[in-house]
Amino acid sequence: MSEKIINCAIYTRKSTEEGLEQDFNSLDNQYEFCTNYLKSLNDANLHLLPTRYDDGGYSGGNLNRPALQRLLHDIRCGLVNRVIIYKIDRLTREIRDFFKLLDIFDKYDVEFVSVKENQYYNTTTAIGRLMVNMFLVFAQFERENAGDRIRDKIATSKAKGMWMGGCPPFGYDIGDRRLVVNETEAQNVRFIYQTFCDTHSLADTTDTVNSRGIRTKYYTTRQGRTFGGRKFSIKTVQRILQNPLYKGIVTHRDKQYPGQHDAIIDTAQFDLVQAIFAAHKDKRETRRCPKTASGGERETAALTGLIFCGCCGSAMTPSYCCKGGIRYHYYRCYRRASKLEDKCPINQIRSSELDRVVLEQVLAILKSREFFAKYVSYRREFDISTVYSLFNNLDEVWNSLFETEKHRILRELIAKVTVYKDKIVLDVKKDGLAGVFAELSQNNQLVGVEYKENKTFQISVAYRATRLANGAKIIVPATAKEESRFNGSLRLARQIAKGFVWRRQLESGLTLQELSAAEKINERDIRFAVRISMIDPAIVESVLSGKSPEFLTYAFMKKHPIPLLWSDQRKLYGFEERKIQ
């Protein structure tokens, strides 16, 4: 009977890319050393795999290395029986990561050999494991010591005003390891600063920058990966406006040093921008709303991290606004809020409304015997009387829970919530379903049950958003009775109606100054209202009847210049082209 063949894999690693271009580098040296070790054993059952697992330029401080991940994948597939390395620190410098790897090796019966420490290493004995841990302690100490040296070097270099690498900021290129002004981008940086000084608004500045076709810095790394070339978001514009690098300063740990690069923005304008930000912050502090829309002290967004926009695929993030001393909470489409997408029809939705709808569906799922029978395995013995008792008293149990407990159950059950214009899709976790059944029924026999098909199933909830008389949007079932309520942009409709009235008054001989004094409204707003009342009549009719696209609001029209041609207006505002008779 023949001996079992042992497939051996050699793993090598080098922390930096320096010297890898040489014909015989450190990785080759490690590989040859391990190969000679295998030959010295003179064992015919040892078979060296032809695949090389080389990680050049990767730190040993984590396991995110391509060759190591390929090695672990081959181990799980049963292709590797023994792993050979030059030294233990080539595999990892973290004790925690080493134990993870050791568990994988033990699970798949993989032997592990460190050639340089082979005389001390034996995973079958306690003393062998002790020696390995001792080696790893020293390896981790060496890594942390090297990290301290690198941090000290960065601090010293920044104190001299040097650029320490990375993607160059917008407005600069890299030349001779220093920042060099890119005049084309520098002009755009100055334009951003000047626009913000004129408007005092991040949103208006971002709209203006994007409308001029200015895009973020396009950058290619040494590995060939490309970044940038996209629209500016509000956060990107804010980082540019608050980065002291543009006035010739290098920062490090809240300290500022004169940089070796040329400034793009003069100190006076930079300080003016920071003063505007400080004034905005003071206003927010004085106008902070102590109450929420529900009257409580604090309103939590239960679906944070789970909710996504179904129209543009963006995450929906919690936000709020204040009106009348009350704070109203919303989930906002991130791309729309960041000015990366202008026409996403979702925009924002009241968090209390959406949380209510999702919680109602969660309760409906828990009350459904069909879901229990379909998604919780029936091949085990259950206490049926306990389960049916739970079904019969679930409303009472649910109402006795605190809101935090309901939200915790919601997050255990729901994997993802996708919001569309006419429906909400819930991805429900099957393992969470059984876990919640077990918790509510206190039946430990339900824990660890088996599941069928995929890990999740989907529920689609059809809905429509309708407006109350005060303009607030609420979510109602799609089958609910339609009410004759206005469902468009109320502010835009009011401004168009006022524009018609003001236009007649101006035509009757009233001057713009007299009208402004009588209405106590800025002349500019009167001109704009008159202007939008003169756009394509079909668009005006659609707005006044509440049938215009959701993105078409008063704010949208103010931020986008109104085209002169009706055809261009229809294209900009989301209407179909007129058919020529």
Side-chain angles (χ1 to χ4, degrees):
M1 185 175 180
S2 61
E3 294 284 343
K4 178 183 177 182
I5 298 297
I6 300 176
N7 293 321
C8 301
I10 297 176
Y11 176 78
T12 62
R13 182 186 66 82
K14 188 177 186 297
S15 298
T16 64
E17 297 181 354
E18 184 179 356
L20 291 180
E21 72 281 356
Q22 299 175 0
D23 293 336
F24 187 80
N25 54 45
S26 175
L27 299 179
D28 297 325
N29 180 59
Q30 296 176 43
Y31 188 84
E32 184 173 319
F33 200 95
C34 296
T35 304
N36 293 335
Y37 164 76
L38 271 179
K39 292 179 181 178
S40 67
L41 297 178
N42 196 22
D43 189 343
N45 296 315
L46 296 178
H47 172 66
L48 178 61
L49 295 175
T51 304
R52 288 189 57 164
Y53 303 92
D54 300 332
D55 274 324
Y58 289 92
S59 169
N62 58 69
L63 302 180
N64 297 325
R65 292 168 259 158
L68 179 60
Q69 293 301 319
R70 284 192 289 109
L71 174 61
L72 295 178
H73 178 266
D74 291 346
I75 288 174
R76 295 186 181 97
C77 293
L79 303 178
V80 179
N81 305 116
R82 179 180 295 180
V83 175
I84 302 174
I85 60 172
Y86 175 69
K87 291 179 66 175
I88 290 180
D89 63 355
R90 298 301 88 192
L91 186 65
T92 180
R93 292 180 181 267
E94 292 281 355
I95 295 178
R96 178 180 56 187
D97 291 340
F98 176 74
F99 282 127
K100 291 181 182 179
L101 294 173
L102 199 61
D103 288 340
I104 296 175
F105 294 161
D106 291 341
K107 180 178 180 180
Y108 294 97
D109 297 325
V110 174
E111 299 172 344
F112 175 60
V113 175
S114 174
V115 177
K116 293 292 287 186
E117 297 96 5
N118 187 40
Q119 60 269 37
Y120 305 110
Y121 183 75
N122 187 346
T123 55
T124 61
T125 63
I127 190 64
R129 293 181 181 272
L130 173 63
M131 296 304 298
V132 170
N133 290 339
M134 289 177 61
F135 282 122
L136 283 171
V137 166
F138 286 107
Q140 184 169 343
F141 168 75
E142 180 186 350
R143 175 177 174 270
E144 293 176 353
N145 204 22
D148 289 337
R149 291 196 301 269
I150 292 173
R151 283 187 287 271
D152 291 341
K153 178 184 177 183
I154 291 175
T156 304
S157 300
K158 287 202 169 186
K160 296 179 179 180
M162 298 174 62
W163 169 252
M164 292 308 297
C167 177
F170 186 71
Y172 291 95
D173 292 327
I174 299 177
D176 296 330
R177 298 186 178 181
R178 352 181 22 168
L179 291 180
V180 180
V181 176
N182 182 319
E183 285 301 332
T184 303
E185 294 180 357
Q187 291 296 330
N188 292 331
V189 172
R190 298 186 187 102
F191 175 76
I192 291 173
Y193 272 79
Q194 188 58 49
T195 304
F196 183 75
C197 290
D198 294 339
T199 62
H200 290 206
S201 169
L202 277 173
D204 291 346
T205 303
T206 305
D207 284 333
T208 304
V209 169
N210 288 331
S211 64
R212 288 172 62 100
I214 302 174
R215 296 295 179 260
T216 59
K217 188 175 188 66
Y218 188 80
Y219 179 70
T220 304
T221 65
R222 287 182 295 180
Q223 290 78 23
R225 291 179 293 180
T226 57
F227 298 93
R230 301 180 179 180
K231 284 185 175 182
F232 279 85
S233 67
I234 291 179
K235 289 293 184 183
T236 305
V237 172
Q238 183 177 0
R239 282 195 293 268
I240 291 175
L241 292 170
Q242 293 182 325
N243 191 350
L245 187 84
Y246 292 104
K247 66 172 182 176
I249 296 296
V250 172
T251 60
H252 181 67
R253 297 186 182 276
D254 299 328
K255 295 181 179 179
Q256 296 188 349
Y257 307 99
Q260 296 182 2
H261 61 281
D262 295 330
I264 295 177
I265 303 298
D266 59 79
T267 304
Q269 187 175 27
F270 184 85
D271 293 342
L272 174 60
V273 168
Q274 307 319 307
I276 296 173
F277 278 115
H280 287 178
K281 183 178 180 181
D282 292 339
K283 287 182 180 179
R284 287 196 300 269
E285 292 295 332
T286 57
R287 295 161 60 183
R288 187 177 295 276
C289 300
K291 296 181 181 180
T292 63
S294 58
E297 291 296 323
R298 184 181 179 186
E299 186 174 332
T300 58
L303 300 175
T304 302
L306 302 180
I307 182 169
F308 294 85
C309 173
C311 297
C312 66
S314 170
M316 298 189 71
T317 56
S319 181
Y320 69 88
C321 68
C322 295
K323 186 176 182 180
I326 298 177
R327 179 179 293 182
Y328 297 91
H329 290 259
Y330 298 89
Y331 292 111
R332 303 182 67 185
C333 173
Y334 176 79
R335 290 185 60 83
R336 174 94 180 249
S338 300
K339 306 299 180 183
L340 298 174
E341 176 64 52
D342 292 333
K343 298 184 179 180
C344 179
I346 299 298
N347 191 12
Q348 64 184 22
I349 191 167
R350 283 280 292 274
S351 61
S352 57
E353 286 293 310
L354 194 55
D355 291 349
R356 173 183 59 80
V357 172
V358 175
L359 280 172
E360 288 176 355
Q361 291 303 312
V362 168
L363 182 59
I365 292 170
L366 295 177
K367 293 172 67 174
S368 172
R369 292 175 172 81
E370 289 75 14
F371 278 118
F372 180 83
K374 184 174 182 180
Y375 294 110
V376 180
S377 174
Y378 52 81
R379 283 178 283 181
R380 296 174 181 263
E381 295 295 330
F382 300 127
D383 187 351
I384 300 299
S385 61
T386 304
V387 174
Y388 274 81
S389 174
L390 171 64
F391 283 133
N392 295 331
N393 299 283
L394 190 57
D395 285 328
E396 181 179 346
V397 174
W398 183 259
N399 292 331
S400 66
L401 297 177
F402 292 108
E403 286 300 316
T404 53
E405 284 296 308
K406 293 179 181 178
H407 291 166
R408 184 181 61 80
I409 291 175
L410 182 149
R411 299 187 73 86
E412 286 187 14
L413 278 180
I414 303 300
K416 184 179 179 182
V417 178
T418 308
V419 179
Y420 297 89
K421 283 192 64 175
D422 56 351
K423 65 180 179 179
I424 301 171
V425 177
L426 309 180
D427 289 329
V428 184
K429 296 184 284 190
K430 297 178 184 177
D431 53 349
L433 180 64
V436 172
F437 269 120
E439 182 177 344
L440 293 179
S441 64
Q442 297 181 350
N443 181 7
N444 294 330
Q445 291 175 316
L446 293 180
V447 177
V449 297
E450 299 176 5
Y451 312 99
K452 305 175 182 179
E453 303 164 1
N454 299 323
K455 293 183 179 180
T456 62
F457 59 89
Q458 285 191 340
I459 296 177
S460 180
V461 184
Y463 80 98
R464 58 182 173 85
T466 186
R467 287 188 183 273
L468 300 178
N470 62 0
K473 257 188 178 182
I474 63 170
I475 299 175
V476 298
T479 55
K481 184 180 179 181
E482 285 278 0
E483 297 185 14
S484 57
R485 296 190 184 276
F486 185 83
N487 201 38
S489 173
L490 287 172
R491 187 183 180 190
L492 179 59
R494 292 190 184 111
Q495 291 298 318
I496 290 178
K498 290 179 180 179
F500 279 110
V501 175
W502 292 337
R503 194 171 70 186
R504 292 194 189 97
Q505 292 177 343
L506 292 173
E507 291 172 350
S508 66
L510 195 66
T511 66
L512 184 62
Q513 292 76 15
E514 293 172 341
L515 181 59
S516 175
E519 297 287 344
K520 296 181 180 180
I521 295 178
N522 190 290
E523 294 180 13
R524 181 179 60 184
D525 292 336
I526 295 177
R527 289 195 195 95
F528 185 76
V530 172
R531 175 73 182 90
I532 61 177
S533 69
M534 300 170 65
I535 62 175
D536 186 347
I539 299 178
V540 172
E541 181 181 354
S542 177
V543 172
L544 295 178
S545 62
K547 299 178 181 179
S548 59
E550 289 191 24
F551 72 86
L552 184 55
T553 61
Y554 181 74
F556 181 87
M557 296 194 75
K558 285 204 73 172
K559 293 174 183 177
H560 297 78
I562 300 176
L564 295 177
L565 298 178
W566 285 359
S567 59
D568 294 338
Q569 292 174 5
R570 299 181 68 83
K571 185 181 299 183
L572 176 63
Y573 300 144
F575 290 84
E576 295 181 356
E577 292 288 340
R578 287 179 178 272
K579 294 182 179 179
I580 300 176
Q581 299 293 334

